[in-house]
Amino acid sequence: MDMTSMIDIVFLLISFFMIAVNFSNAEQNAFIRLPKSELAVPPKVPPDEALSLQVTENGLVLFNNQEYEIDDLERPLSFERRLYDLRGIDPKTVVVLIRGDGRCETGKIQRILKECQEQNFETFNLKAIATSGDGRD
Amino acid sequence: MKKRHIRKEVKSVRLQMTSMIDVVFLLLTFFVMTLKIIEPEGDFGIKMPLLPAQASITPQIDEKTEPIRIRLISDAQGNLANIKMGDALLGPETQSLRARVIEIVGLSTTNNRPHDLEAELDCDSQLHYQYTIDAITAISGYRSEGRIIPLIEKVRFADR
């Protein structure tokens, strides 16, 4: 049985999947459909210190693998701030990544920003999916 | 005679490939299983320090630091109904907002540097987040021949 070509293809597949796989454990909830934007460029350098807040369509916030109502965000956020204080990191330098669903209400996003501001987090990154076309596809 | 000899030799070198193929398939299934397709995500930076309470008492609004106020008006369903910039209504298209921003900024952007003007977004509460991002996109720049031309990089939300 001549298996040379089969092995060729199998190795090709392996190398493809090896390159395509990424083990980054960035928190990304698949149910959140990010807004689209033509100017959203992936950051060249990932931020040193970042908190990731994910906002679902109906305004639930996923943070550290737990669900919170917006009004309940104060406790986990102040806890994070205390941790940063202990490590001697200024919360102002911490980037808050906001992965908000495109169908969520802007007012809710603003309330989340406000909760973060009250804990001295003031640098925000609003995440969006990059499109090459004109904003919507 | 010689030819026959060679053929005999080739036949004698038979690799035992079963175990190698086993391992290779194992690797293949591992990588197939762990593959997680992630769409490239970009982001917009927004810096919003909490304004100290005294700031409202002594408003030191400089002509230069006065932000461009943009109001996004939503309808009851959360769709964008109108954009208001200053006192002018621009309609629900973010393209016209971009055109206005280019009008204000365009002449003074040299060397592809973002303008140090500031834009302040005042959005209706029920407006869908997608429209807010659309507006931020329109304000912060545009694509021309594959390159991104920045307009206003400092965007913040209005305090409500």
Side-chain angles (χ1 to χ4, degrees):
Chain A
M1 198 164 97
D2 186 23
M3 293 202 281
T4 324
S5 50
M6 187 190 78
I7 289 171
D8 281 355
I9 288 174
V10 165
F11 270 120
L12 215 75
L13 281 172
I14 284 192
S15 43
F16 167 74
F17 281 110
M18 259 174 87
I19 290 167
V21 84
N22 57 0
F23 295 101
S24 77
N25 49 359
E27 268 188 76
Q28 291 189 336
N29 188 301
F31 290 106
I32 290 172
R33 283 175 28 206
L34 288 186
K36 298 184 180 69
S37 165
E38 53 175 325
L39 294 182
V41 186
K44 290 191 182 73
V45 193
D48 293 333
E49 295 292 338
L51 294 177
S52 178
L53 291 177
Q54 311 195 68
V55 191
T56 61
E57 184 183 358
N58 43 24
L60 269 179
V61 183
L62 305 175
F63 178 54
N64 285 348
N65 288 323
Q66 285 199 320
E67 285 184 13
Y68 297 97
E69 297 282 345
I70 297 174
D71 295 324
D72 303 335
L73 268 176
E74 191 189 338
R75 250 169 59 88
L77 283 176
S78 68
F79 179 69
E80 290 290 332
R81 195 202 53 191
R82 283 205 297 278
L83 284 182
Y84 282 120
D85 282 343
L86 283 175
R87 288 165 59 196
I89 296 169
D90 186 5
K92 290 183 169 60
T93 60
V94 177
V95 177
V96 182
L97 304 173
I98 304 228
R99 296 186 76 245
D101 194 297
R103 298 157 295 178
C104 172
E105 290 167 13
T106 306
K108 287 177 176 164
I109 303 279
Q110 279 180 275
R111 271 167 64 202
I112 293 164
L113 295 184
K114 199 147 209 157
E115 290 286 339
C116 295
Q117 284 177 314
E118 276 164 16
Q119 305 298 332
N120 275 347
F121 296 110
E122 59 177 43
T123 314
F124 302 99
N125 270 359
L126 306 180
K127 288 280 182 189
I129 291 269
T131 52
S132 46
D134 62 339
R136 297 165 185 287
D137 52 353
Chain B
M1 194 66 181
K2 207 184 170 191
K3 205 179 176 185
R4 206 177 155 195
H5 180 71
I6 287 169
R7 189 177 283 169
K8 211 175 190 177
E9 211 172 51
V10 165
K11 212 175 181 184
S12 70
V13 186
R14 271 196 64 182
L15 276 169
Q16 195 63 53
M17 290 205 282
T18 328
S19 51
M20 187 192 75
I21 290 170
D22 283 354
V23 172
V24 162
F25 271 119
L26 215 74
L27 278 172
L28 187 64
T29 42
F30 169 73
F31 283 113
V32 169
M33 297 300 221
T34 51
L35 183 72
K36 188 171 64 178
I37 295 168
I38 296 179
E39 282 184 87
E41 288 180 4
D43 45 31
F44 292 102
I46 284 184
K47 210 169 170 69
M48 276 178 65
L50 193 64
L51 292 171
Q54 301 97 296
S56 55
I57 304 167
T58 51
Q60 292 176 315
I61 295 166
D62 212 349
E63 185 86 359
K64 272 163 85 179
T65 54
E66 174 77 8
I68 302 172
R69 290 210 162 74
I70 294 155
R71 173 137 168 67
L72 302 180
I73 300 162
S74 138
D75 62 13
Q77 283 80 44
N79 295 316
L80 188 61
N82 220 325
I83 303 171
K84 199 172 174 186
M85 189 164 160
D87 292 323
L89 285 170
L90 300 179
E93 286 296 315
T94 47
Q95 286 301 330
S96 50
L97 173 64
R98 174 172 294 154
R100 275 304 295 273
V101 173
I102 292 172
E103 230 171 80
I104 294 170
V105 161
L107 299 169
S108 50
T109 46
T110 43
N111 315 330
N112 274 332
R113 271 190 316 130
H115 203 274
D116 38 282
L117 270 172
E118 198 177 355
E120 189 179 83
L121 279 178
D122 184 3
C123 313
D124 272 349
S125 176
Q126 73 269 30
L127 184 73
H128 284 176
Y129 184 48
Q130 169 73 59
Y131 295 104
T132 312
I133 291 290
D134 282 348
I136 295 176
T137 307
I139 297 162
S140 56
Y142 60 95
R143 258 179 204 279
S144 165
E145 293 159 8
R147 287 185 313 144
I148 292 173
I149 315 242
L151 294 170
I152 296 177
E153 237 167 32
K154 284 186 211 153
V155 181
R156 51 173 292 134
F157 286 107
D159 291 314
R160 315 205 85 204

